[in-house]
Amino acid sequence: MLAFGWASGDMDLKPKRVYIGGGGELATAREVLKHPSVEEVVMVDLDKMVVDVSREQLHEWSTGCFSDPRLTVHYTDAHAWLNRSDADTGLFDLIIMDIADPFEAGPGIALYTQEFYRIAKSKLTPGGVFVTQSGPGGLLTHTECFTSVHRTLQSVFEHVLPYTAEIPSFGSNWGWNLAFDASGVRNSRLSSSEALEAGSTFKDLSMTSLSTRLKSRVDPGGLRFYDGEGHRGIFHISKPIRDSIALEERIITKDNPVFML
């Protein structure tokens, strides 16, 4: 997974404790659990029926998850679960939001707000990384919410890296954002310029370098999508989309939501 590619770059992140918001089809948990650095995965999904159906009918999506003692699943609201005391939740090295799209009548809109991103940031360990799905990332669809999610994360985190990938079942490019702070790239303080350089270094890692580092961390045969060449592809976003990201001014809040069309 991309966040573990970050761990395989020049940064020192080796996630031990991972939070997954949503993820009911279990594929995210399946991929996270492939990485030997991971000691605990906490997954919080609102809909137990989705998880049960995935376990029963989508075996290739959930392979090995529930037999792995590192995984704990809670069936409740991902926002409410995380918005508790540190003593109740603990801190996480990596937070992944694999959640429903921000539809007006949907359950996920609160998980795209500035208020929630502040909560999530407070639950990260030094060196922690936050990743969220961010809606359509295609040439004609990226301004629905991808750019505003990016802008909202920028209002909370010091650095945000957008990326896109083709999702066959959606018939579209889809967007994600990876966020971190200057003080969180390594376990020591970095200046803003150093953190930006670190993010750029990660984004522009050579195909050979990243593939070699991934092999040292996980069985390369277990990764069906992510490798050095794929990494470079997802970060090299077309100029019209980069221009839209640069011009975006909307910040998503509880009182000023942005809905996917």
Side-chain angles (χ1 to χ4, degrees):
M1 296 178 68
L2 175 63
F4 290 90
W6 175 272
S8 298
D10 291 336
M11 301 67 182
D12 293 330
L13 178 66
K14 294 181 180 179
K16 294 182 178 180
R17 194 161 189 261
V18 179
Y19 177 85
I20 300 172
E25 81 295 326
L26 297 168
T28 298
R30 179 197 68 203
E31 293 301 299
V32 167
L33 291 166
K34 289 179 179 179
H35 295 264
S37 71
V38 174
E39 297 176 357
E40 181 183 8
V41 178
V42 177
M43 185 181 116
V44 182
D45 195 286
L46 188 63
D47 196 335
K48 184 177 185 297
M49 183 178 293
V50 170
V51 178
D52 289 343
V53 169
S54 296
R55 292 182 67 182
E56 295 169 6
Q57 304 296 330
L58 300 174
H59 301 293
E60 71 277 14
W61 289 66
S62 59
T63 302
C65 285
F66 276 88
S67 62
D68 195 315
R70 294 175 294 170
L71 176 66
T72 302
V73 180
H74 301 278
Y75 301 106
T76 187
D77 180 80
H79 185 298
W81 192 95
L82 204 59
N83 191 23
R84 300 182 297 153
S85 71
D86 290 353
D88 289 329
T89 64
L91 299 180
F92 297 90
D93 304 306
L94 174 62
I95 294 177
I96 302 171
M97 301 307 296
D98 180 12
I99 49 178
D101 300 315
F103 290 118
E104 185 169 2
I109 185 61
L111 299 170
Y112 293 91
T113 62
Q114 184 184 60
E115 293 91 342
F116 175 71
Y117 293 152
R118 286 172 175 161
I119 293 169
K121 178 178 174 176
S122 74
K123 299 299 180 178
L124 287 171
T125 59
V129 171
F130 177 88
V131 182
T132 184
Q133 85 96 350
S134 305
L139 187 62
L140 301 179
T141 58
H142 64 276
T143 57
E144 289 186 25
C145 54
F146 177 44
T147 54
S148 56
V149 170
H150 182 272
R151 178 67 187 92
T152 304
L153 283 166
Q154 282 186 318
S155 74
V156 175
F157 292 89
E158 294 175 15
H159 301 285
V160 184
L161 301 178
Y163 61 100
T164 63
E166 183 73 21
I167 303 297
S169 60
F170 294 173
S172 172
N173 252 24
W174 214 253
W176 290 264
N177 282 283
L178 182 152
F180 64 97
D181 276 352
S183 59
V185 178
R186 302 189 185 97
N187 290 325
S188 59
R189 289 292 304 182
L190 291 181
S191 69
S192 180
S193 61
E194 287 175 323
L196 184 59
E197 181 180 355
S200 297
T201 298
F202 170 69
K203 184 174 70 172
D204 295 326
L205 279 170
S206 74
M207 294 183 289
T208 301
S209 174
L210 183 55
S211 293
T212 299
R213 292 171 182 182
L214 282 170
K215 288 179 182 178
S216 71
R217 303 229 175 169
V218 64
D219 176 7
L223 300 178
R224 297 172 60 187
F225 169 77
Y226 186 62
D227 62 6
E229 186 169 356
H231 171 93
R232 292 181 66 83
I234 62 179
F235 272 111
H236 285 73
I237 298 172
S238 67
K239 186 177 185 300
I241 297 177
R242 285 185 279 116
D243 288 344
S244 294
I245 289 172
L247 293 171
E248 180 62 76
E249 296 182 350
R250 295 172 296 173
I251 294 177
I252 305 169
T253 66
K254 180 180 177 181
D255 294 330
N256 294 285
V258 172
F259 300 116
M260 180 174 155
L261 302 179

